[in-house]
Amino acid sequence: MTGHRAGGRLAVTLCRDFGEFGALAAEWDALHRRCATATPFQSHAWLHSWWISYGQEGRLRVLLVRRAGRLIGAAPLMLVHRPMPLLVPMGGAISDFFDILLDEEEAGWAVGALGRGLDRAARHTVVDLREVRPDASAQLLFGRWTGARSRLTDSTCMELPAVPLGDRVARLTGSRGQRLRSKLRKVEALGVEAHRVPVQEVPAAVGTLLRLHERQWEGRSVNPEHLRARFSDHLIRSVGRMVGDGTAALTEFRLGGAVVASNLSLESGRLAGGYLYGADPALRERKVDVSTMLLREVAQQAADGGREVLSLLRGAEAYKNHWRPSPVVSQRLLLARPGLEPLLRLRESQVAVRERAAETVKARFPEARSWHERLTALPVIGR
């Protein structure tokens, strides 16, 4: 499929071979940097590693748009067959956001070409794009879609401006501001030191992070995926590359030489966010507010990196409200060819039934609220 414009020829291709996708690393990374809406979950390091851990042969569907040989657009998708044939985002349930990649200077041409390519790739399927931010490039694709479409709500994310936490606390008045300033003073008085993990130490540091994560959830409902070897392997591979190119930071918090907490933060474009942390339960016994300690470090990293948004990522847990964040609701975009509108409406119904069931589970098991959305975020390949 080809098109024309002044200055070069547009070509749209569908990558179905994982080896070919692996070879795209350099030009994919360059496009990722040229796309202001891109999140860390669309980086080549994250997606390539994710596929090694979770992908299945024959399911890869990555749309690529080039002009005069230069990659200017990409949509990282995959095919699933249950509960019906669907094209869904690569990255699965462990990725908090989905988006397509568009070269900002070529966005109009690239999104048009991606739409034409998607129309052909989704000849017999519904496209189900989850966790799409309101300002995502995928919203442009949705706006231009000429077939059947539907926009649904998805997870709620909490966001703050990417400024140092001390600056934010200084502007808070009353008892709330006093409490938060007291929490910061306790962290400082304890003498916990933050150390950024270098690339060569990432494998061991990921192991420490996951052990601490398991300990902090001991006796409570933990996301079982975080305890599996495939998740650990994915983090070691992806975070190693991302620390190297500055799109991830793995920070260990040490007290008396011992690692008492560890935090993984990801960043790209305008956004930074804390992805996963682990903390020794003994910190709570010492009256340390772990979330305050971690957020102070992530906020400073985001500010130093020139990011605009500090995302607390999926979930509206009560502890996040201490900082008066703004709720941002991600969206679920359903697309289909005109002749497949009945299938799209069926998918809408399936989503509604599943959401009602999930709400019932959350009502009966309140302790599951902190990780429920990540467990149910996307269809699992082979389910």
Side-chain angles (χ1 to χ4, degrees):
M1 186 189 313
T2 58
H4 296 276
R5 61 150 289 178
R9 180 182 182 89
L10 284 173
V12 185
T13 57
L14 182 64
C15 172
R16 301 174 62 162
D17 179 75
F18 181 60
E20 179 186 344
F21 178 69
L24 292 172
E27 55 181 335
W28 188 283
D29 287 343
L31 175 60
H32 189 263
R33 290 190 294 269
R34 298 195 304 272
C35 181
T37 69
T39 80
F41 305 104
Q42 285 76 60
S43 69
H44 190 272
W46 185 267
L47 293 174
H48 187 265
S49 175
W50 181 89
W51 193 265
I52 293 173
S53 283
Y54 298 94
Q56 289 190 3
E57 187 175 355
R59 305 289 183 85
L60 193 67
R61 301 289 188 275
V62 180
L63 280 163
L64 305 169
V65 179
R66 288 187 172 85
R67 183 175 67 80
R70 184 173 187 251
L71 188 65
I72 63 169
L77 304 172
M78 62 188 186
L79 176 68
V80 297
H81 295 297
R82 297 179 182 178
M84 61 189 294
L86 297 167
L87 283 179
V88 301
M90 286 178 68
I94 64 170
S95 301
D96 287 67
F97 301 120
F98 170 75
D99 203 0
I100 61 175
L101 298 179
L102 301 176
D103 186 319
E104 287 191 83
E105 296 184 358
E106 305 276 5
W109 295 96
V111 74
L114 280 176
R116 294 190 296 274
L118 189 58
D119 180 75
R120 292 186 60 180
R123 187 173 303 173
H124 306 295
T125 63
V126 173
V127 182
D128 187 351
L129 307 180
R130 296 209 56 181
E131 307 300 354
V132 178
R133 291 170 55 80
D135 62 351
S137 292
Q139 300 286 358
L140 299 177
L141 179 66
F142 182 86
R144 291 195 181 191
W145 189 257
T146 58
R149 60 182 185 170
S150 178
R151 179 185 275 117
L152 309 174
T153 59
D154 219 331
S155 301
T156 298
C157 301
M158 311 301 282
E159 296 184 354
L160 294 166
V163 298
L165 200 60
D167 295 352
R168 184 168 184 82
V169 171
R171 294 195 290 269
L172 296 176
T173 59
S175 59
R176 181 190 295 266
Q178 291 175 358
R179 286 195 303 272
L180 294 177
R181 283 188 285 274
S182 175
K183 290 179 179 181
L184 284 174
R185 286 194 296 270
K186 284 182 179 179
V187 171
E188 293 168 357
L190 189 60
V192 177
E193 298 179 344
H195 294 265
R196 293 279 289 269
V197 174
V199 172
Q200 65 271 21
E201 296 177 14
V202 164
V206 166
T208 300
L209 165 65
L210 294 176
R211 285 192 296 273
L212 286 170
H213 183 74
E214 183 175 10
R215 285 193 64 193
Q216 81 182 30
W217 284 96
E218 198 168 24
R220 297 180 293 159
S221 298
V222 65
N223 184 340
E225 189 57 37
H226 292 165
L227 307 183
R228 294 185 175 125
R230 64 183 182 182
F231 181 72
S232 174
D233 292 343
H234 162 64
L235 288 188
I236 290 171
R237 285 188 303 265
S238 61
V239 173
R241 283 179 59 185
M242 295 170 78
V243 166
D245 64 22
T247 57
L250 190 52
T251 306
E252 292 185 337
F253 298 82
R254 300 174 184 173
L255 184 61
V259 179
V260 294
S262 182
N263 183 67
L264 171 61
S265 60
L266 308 176
E267 59 183 85
S268 64
R270 296 190 289 260
L271 180 142
Y275 178 72
L276 187 73
Y277 75 93
D280 190 324
L283 285 175
R284 294 192 186 91
E285 298 171 6
R286 303 185 71 160
K287 307 301 182 183
V288 175
D289 189 301
V290 175
S291 64
T292 297
M293 181 180 73
L294 301 179
L295 189 59
R296 182 179 67 168
E297 184 66 22
V298 175
Q300 189 63 56
Q301 292 171 1
D304 292 344
R307 310 302 174 184
E308 299 174 15
V309 174
L310 174 58
S311 175
L312 306 182
L313 300 182
R314 285 205 303 258
E317 295 89 346
Y319 77 88
K320 296 179 180 179
N321 291 321
H322 297 327
W323 306 99
R324 294 186 177 177
S326 300
V328 177
V329 180
S330 294
Q331 298 170 1
R332 185 174 196 156
L333 308 181
L334 300 180
L335 308 170
R337 284 182 151 196
L340 295 181
E341 183 164 1
L343 279 180
L344 185 144
R345 301 307 166 196
L346 174 60
R347 184 59 181 152
E348 276 186 322
S349 299
Q350 292 173 340
V351 169
V353 169
R354 187 173 184 179
E355 288 181 348
R356 286 196 296 270
E359 288 302 318
T360 300
V361 170
K362 288 199 292 183
R364 292 184 61 188
F365 303 100
E367 71 277 7
R369 290 177 186 268
S370 63
W371 54 268
H372 163 77
E373 289 179 353
R374 182 161 292 170
L375 282 178
T376 60
L378 288 170
V380 175
I381 297 177
R383 178 181 292 173

